[in-house]
Amino acid sequence: MDLSTAFPTLVTDLPAAFSMSVVGLVGLAMIVLDAFRNDHPAIPWLGVAALGVSAAWEATHLGAPQSTVFFETLRTGGFVAFINLIILLTGLATILLSVPYLNQLRYDYGEVYALIMFSTVGMIMLGSANNMVSIFLGLETMSVCLYVLTGFIREDEGAVESALKYFLLGAFSTGFFLYGIALMYGATGTMALPAMAAAELGTLSTRLLFWGGFALFLVGFFFKVSAAPFHMWTPDVYQGAPTPLTGYMSTATKAAAFAALILVLVHAVPGGEWQLSVAAVAVLTMVIGNVMALAQTNVKRLLAYSSIAHAGYVLVGLSAGTSAGYAGALFYLLVYAVMNIGAFGVMSMLEWDGKEGREQTLSSLAGIANDRPVLGSTMGIFMLSLIGFPPLGGFAGKYFVFAPAVDAGLTWLVVIGVLMSALSAYYYLRVVYVFWMQSADDVEATDPVRAAAFPRATVAATGTLVVCAVALVVLGVFFGGVLETTLGFFESTAMATAP
Amino acid sequence: MTSADLLRLVLLLPLAGAVLNGVAPLFLKHLRTRETLLGTIGTAVVAIPFVLTVYLFVTFGGDPIVADYFTWMAAGDLDLSFAYRVDQLSLLMTLVVTGVGGVIHLYSIGYMHGDDGYWRFFAYLNLFIFAMLNLVLANNLPVLFLGWEGVGLCSYLLIGFWYTDLRNSAAANKAFIVNRVGDVAFLVAMFLVFRELGSLSFDVLLAEGPNLPEATLNWIVFLLFVGATGKSAQIPLFVWLPDAMAGPTPVSALIHAATMVTSGLYLLARLSALVLGAPVVMMIVAIVGAATALMAATIAVAQDDIKRVLAYSTVSQLGYMFMAAGVGAFFVAIFHVVTHAFFKACLFLGAGSVIHGMEEVEHGLEEQGRDPSDFDPQDMRTMGGLAEYMPATRTTYLLATLAISGIPLTAGFFSKDEILFKAFEYGYDGSTYAMAVWVVGILTAVLTAFYMMRSYVLTFEGEPRWPLSDQLAPHESPSTMTGALWTLGLLSLVGGFIGLPAVVQGGDWNWIHHYLGAKYGGPVAEASVQGHVPLALEWGLILLSSVIALGTVYYAWRVYLTQGLGYDAALKRRLRGVYQTWTDKYYWDEFYNEVVVDSLINGVARKGLAAFDTTVVDGAVNGVADTAQNASGLLRRVQTGLVQNYALALTVGAALLIGLMLYGV
């Protein structure tokens, strides 16, 4: 590499890293502010402003041509802008929902928001990676912040336990992941994704090295998106973590990790030899997620299994290995982010307090919708959308991940997917049923509603939930434009071939 | 603004009204009592589209405007777009829906005053208008069906509006369930159309549909007609409409008289080119229409509840419209839809005004310490003499009564006479069934004039018959209500001039025919008739209808004015069993209860299929559920909470994944 042009290139490529820089710098500013007063009320709003500005920037770049920057380590263009938009808006919603929750806990420390910002930076890097090193860097930046966020309520044993579990298993899976990258590098001699596809895998031993490495590499990703059988940490961690941050973990992390996975599948291994493996994991994930969710009494645990199941649906779209499948998966990630951040948001507003909230059962919320109609109706929409009920976004999303799989000849996979999503109606509707149709008299007195201890609803938090609910209706009816945009990312030649 | 933009406003304003009136007060409870605000919004979002439609109507160039707003879903050959069609037929229907709808909204401001569900009422009513506009403006069957189901839903919600009374929710359920039967047929018809033509758009359907083999066309049209019998209350699915009167009276006027129930006719007129290709089904349509018209008219003679009389009258008039469709005179059916909307809405709103007054009497009785439970404010037997107390209601009700009876030069005269003439003409041309239909039409006309005059005289003339009538007096309704009545009353008087009969200027002044008719470039096809009825015979027929109407109205007026309820008793004595059959509505409800509910559902289904249901169906369902629960329980044991177990699972998974990946290499 000729280093003489390095500095000028860095300067000219800087706008491509706009969101990363703004979010990262504001994160640093938060830490500084935090040093003076750790519950300064301006800190979350600083984050909201940074994320909002970045989101607006990304929104204007949805139509940008696909290209690479920073010596082909990162990508730019519509695909990246779309993923960044999901990540940034999810972060924004998370901050707005966290404020009342953390106030109630008296844990409204600035570093929480700073950590959200830093992990967002990691996700952005992950979602725009064009090189194994950037993937690893992004993944670890994101994960380390999430480990801390999971356990930042230090007095709470449950939170600390789940943080430790998350950290140990995360480190374990990263080992697989890194080893996989090493093997792939060994087989191809490159870290750049497009170059990997171009590399000759002549002998059998090279091929074994490469595909074995790729399998290990996938383990790392499957762990992050909580696909079975690498999902075991999910329920424990989701249950222990502070609720709005669980929402963040289950949506933005998945969006970023799936985006990187799509980039790898499209650029590094475009041949589709992996189809059976991914389809097998998809089946296992959908079955385990949905079946386990049936028996849950704790809402956060239920939603954790539900998020496992949804990772399975996205994998169905990826198994198709076609443009339509990837585009459908991207659309699904958007819809999923909206409905899940909303569902966890509602739960965060209905928690007694951060610590015992972990043990809070569904039946303690019997009839809550009558007292909190906005929360009740938005939760109804989120649940129906998670089932995949028309005319909500979840329906359109499922259709666009399942249909390409059928076209790719994976009908058996879609049949399982549809059966499993029918099964899911049972546990999602139970939430709606308990919220609306039961009353506190119907449940045993051991589970009293402690409404007085609920976080105080702010306009911003309630507004976020309403916006999410409305967005689901809009996505369910006017999905044409969004889907065309995502399809465009994969049909342009710049994305399909190496630059 | 282009026509497409205007159309967007026409469609979306009522929806916006429904959302505003429905959602905001749901969460902001203090808005629920802001009646003026709610009522104004509710009425404005219908009145503004009316004005816009008038503009579209005036500037309409003659070629259909198709506005394709967006494709909702495209999968294979199926292309579902939200496409709307502005042509003469949809414009006329939109004018009626928004015009009459607007007037009824205005009326509701006063009528619903003080009701706890005021906001809900306007939200539903706006939603209804939105759905109805989708129905009449759609450019393909799915959007039409969306509107079709939408109006069904609103009808259900509004019939059961006072849902705390079990009878009302039962009536709502009945309407919903009976309509489902028709809807199944409609759906199957859509499947057939898609299989045969590969498209559901009207452009394709109207262009290529008539070329389909007759057997296929017969089935399509027949199934569509079955769908229409549900929504438009024809034999055998009419039973829900009389019970639908459980809803608030403006609802009866808007949904169950003026607009929704005519959607079956609209469907047939829209697809008239197809219907004409299925002459066998046309015969069925005409005969069913005639039978319904006669049957409902006879039932109406023997009813004492003012709204029930009007309900059966609606069924009967809808039968007239189907008669017209059955002899291939679709534009006349639409003509009658329009005039009927005027006078029947006026009659219903008048009845509402009367009920309003009688409820005042009911409250008065309560204050006097009398038990009001045996007093029914809708029973004509306890009315009488209301002309003195409610002059505006009386005059408008009389106008509408004269119109529906077919007194010469009123709206009903022209449209009904045109139906009879078309039936006669078709029969004169050699069709036996059309002649039979004409005879039934004449008989029904006699009955219509009779029972409508009966209801007018019993309600407004003679001496007051309610208890303590010397102390308690009802009052005229507020001006929003009487304003609506006057508008509709005047339209009932002059609305018929849009369709002057052929004897005037050889039919050149029949505006609605020239506007809608396919031979003048409109969207509605019609049967071609070879043999022309001589002019003298035409005049004779008009004379006959006039004499019948005038004679019957005079007779009914005289006997009920002099004998009052005594004449009912006399009729009952003279006709005995026949009259009893009329009072009991030909035992249709009993028939359905015995045959469908008791024998089929309770008998065959419950007893015969119960074993199958409990062992096979329930067994399968419970089996799946148990298996899933057991699997869930087993899997839970794996979820130990111990991090080392999790790591083990991860490792095993990694090994399996490597194996799977290397399998093909």
Side-chain angles (χ1 to χ4, degrees), chain A residues 165 168-169 172-173 176 204 207-208 211-212 214-216 218-219 222-223 229-233 235-236 274 276-277 280-281 291-292 294-296 301 305 373-374 377 395 399 426 476-479, chain B residues 26-27 29 70-76 82 624-625 627-629 631-643 645-654 656-658 660-663 665:
Chain A
K165 271 184 188 167
L168 284 175
L169 291 168
F172 192 55
S173 79
F176 283 93
L204 178 69
R207 284 211 300 281
L208 286 177
W211 289 110
F214 184 60
L216 291 177
L218 283 183
V219 169
F222 288 157
F223 177 85
F230 316 102
H231 67 285
M232 311 280 275
W233 59 277
D236 294 8
W274 39 266
L276 186 63
S277 311
V281 173
V291 169
M292 287 293 285
L294 289 180
Q296 303 306 323
R301 249 183 126 72
Y305 281 110
V374 178
S377 21
F395 167 72
Y399 180 80
Y426 172 76
V477 180
F478 303 92
F479 46 69
Chain B
L26 183 64
F27 296 113
K29 291 206 168 69
F70 68 100
T71 303
W72 189 60
M73 190 177 276
F82 277 85
V624 170
T627 317
Q629 288 282 6
S632 195
L634 275 178
L635 282 171
R636 270 182 104 159
R637 272 193 235 162
V638 182
Q639 193 79 32
T640 52
L642 295 177
V643 79
N645 291 357
Y646 294 181
L648 182 67
L650 208 156
T651 316
V652 173
L656 289 176
L657 192 63
I658 293 173
L660 205 58
M661 188 70 85
L662 294 184
Y663 177 70
V665 176

Side-chain angles (χ1 to χ4, degrees), chain B residues 431-470:
Chain B
S431 166
T432 337
Y433 80 83
M435 223 34 154
V437 162
W438 178 74
V439 174
V440 173
I442 294 284
L443 266 178
T444 310
V446 175
L447 287 166
T448 308
F450 179 79
Y451 68 72
M452 281 315 303
M453 208 55 205
R454 166 178 176 263
S455 86
Y456 165 74
V457 177
L458 285 183
T459 309
F460 293 101
E461 303 294 339
E463 292 300 315
R465 288 186 295 272
W466 59 86
L468 303 179
S469 54
D470 46 344

